[in-house]
Amino acid sequence: MINSKEWPAEGVSRAPYWIYTDSDIYAREQENIFRGKSWHYVGLEAEVLKPGNYKTTYIGETSVVMTRTEDGEVHVLTNRCAHRGNMVCREAFGSAKRLYCVYHAWSYQLNGDLSNAAFSQGLNGQGGLPKDFDKKNHGLQKLRVARFCGLVFASFKEDTEDFETWLGDVGDGIKRLLNRPLKVLGYDTQRIHSNWKNYHENPRDSYHANILHTFYGTFGLSRQTQESGMVLDKTGRNVYFYTKAGTEKKDTNYDSTKTELRSVNDQLRLEDSSILKWTDEIGDGVSVQILSLYPSFVLHQIANSLATRQLLPKGQGQLDLVWTYFGFEDDSPEMTKTRLLQANLAGSAGMISVEDAAVCEMTYRAIADGQHGESFIEMGGTDLTSGGSHKLSERAIRNFWHNYRQDMGL
Ligand code: FES
Ligand SMILES: [Fe+2]
């Protein structure tokens, strides 16, 4: 039977496949979610360290610029000239005194105010802008900005709750990790042929982590039998999972001779096992922490590898995932080397993450007609609280769909 565009009666324990493939839904998401009340990650303060520095990026499909002004403030502006809409910044990163539009030479201060419009007085009494033209009314659109532990977020809406309230208890997972000034180590951008929500569900899904990712189980970085848990904020928008390596209890689920679980492969050996050597920097034993903020941000610690992931939708069937690897300003050269080595665990060709993009693409291919069927999201229960804080649960995904449906009016 062809799906009607009605949400299944079971509610948050189902997601109909048309929600991933419908172009009208995609357009509505841009308005209701990406330009709606959410807070969106735009970058690290370390990327615009000095006055004059800027970075261009996107929130959803809207191009934005993050700038640092002389007073040390960080601003986020739409990258769209107030005259006739040309981009005012083309480079990914740069430094400038003004943002200058090449089309008709309107220029802007780094806080977004219009500083000059070429020929605004006309020439020899001819042309020029109207007498009542007021520069104050023609700046770049300014977004609301929040800075938290070196991360920068922005929102299009003035009436959204402040960022720390938005984070709820999940803020502790960020504070735990980002406790001193950051230093960028590198980037990796990955085009994934899948809907952005397929990817957003993935790091919220702790059920798959120790099954799909053979590397985790085989080399002991993360196993279901280790001490682990989940923290979800009270709105259900934001979540993090943690695992403590070396705390496993014997469990026959991991004996591949007795079960069909393929998460441990006894045949695999590492030529160079130095990638597994990690330092417990914080002293709490946590070897893996994966933190997701609604709707498009991930922060991970995998051993000593640290990175943000920014999810940028590019039409309903593809997305860009921007990985920013970082360490701390006071890292020793050895620690920087370890972080760079362990960066190979994640990213587009990462020994763990490569499988996430693969399953997102395969899922999208399997549901691409969008006409039939729905996903089944009942691990740990059927509602927003069932599953508790256990990792073998899809509670965080049910909570995602709950927030999504509210924002989309579905
Ligand atoms: S579009 Fe920017 S100055 Fe005309
Ligand atoms: Fe994964």
Side-chain angles (χ1 to χ4, degrees), residues 224-352:
Q224 206 68 54
T225 48
Q226 291 167 346
E227 188 184 332
S228 62
M230 172 183 84
V231 175
L232 190 69
D233 82 302
K234 69 176 189 313
T235 67
R237 291 186 199 116
N238 310 315
V239 61
Y240 67 92
F241 300 94
Y242 62 88
T243 301
K244 300 186 177 185
T247 55
E248 49 266 76
K249 299 168 200 81
K250 191 108 189 90
D251 188 325
T252 48
N253 269 323
Y254 274 99
D255 184 341
S256 56
T257 59
K258 298 200 179 76
T259 74
E260 290 189 4
L261 197 66
R262 290 186 295 179
S263 56
V264 173
N265 184 335
D266 300 335
Q267 306 304 308
L268 293 177
R269 293 276 177 280
L270 288 171
E271 287 277 329
D272 175 0
S273 62
S274 62
I275 197 166
L276 298 174
K277 289 203 189 94
W278 72 287
T279 309
D280 182 4
E281 295 179 88
I282 295 159
D284 57 7
V286 172
S287 49
V288 177
Q289 178 186 286
I290 310 288
L291 182 147
S292 300
L293 303 186
Y294 178 90
S296 54
F297 174 72
V298 179
L299 168 70
H300 83 229
Q301 173 216 342
I302 302 175
N304 293 116
S305 160
L306 305 173
T308 58
R309 306 176 200 171
Q310 182 188 22
L311 200 166
L312 302 176
K314 302 285 176 191
Q316 77 264 24
Q318 53 188 10
L319 64 109
D320 278 352
L321 192 62
V322 183
W323 302 74
T324 303
Y325 302 92
F326 61 89
F328 299 99
E329 275 179 10
D330 63 2
D331 279 347
S332 65
E334 293 73 39
M335 180 51 85
T336 299
K337 220 171 132 192
T338 301
R339 294 198 205 283
L340 287 171
L341 179 66
Q342 292 179 345
N344 292 297
L345 296 169
S348 51
M351 284 183 268
I352 296 163

Side-chain angles (χ1 to χ4, degrees), residues 26 29-31 33-35 40-42 57-64 156 196 295-296 310-315 320:
Y26 180 78
E29 287 167 348
Q30 292 299 313
E31 200 50 41
I33 295 179
F34 292 97
R35 284 188 295 274
H40 300 276
Y41 175 71
V42 283
T57 182
Y58 290 87
I59 293 177
E61 289 200 341
T62 307
S63 178
V64 296
F156 280 90
W196 70 271
S296 54
Q310 182 188 22
L311 200 166
L312 302 176
K314 302 285 176 191
D320 278 352

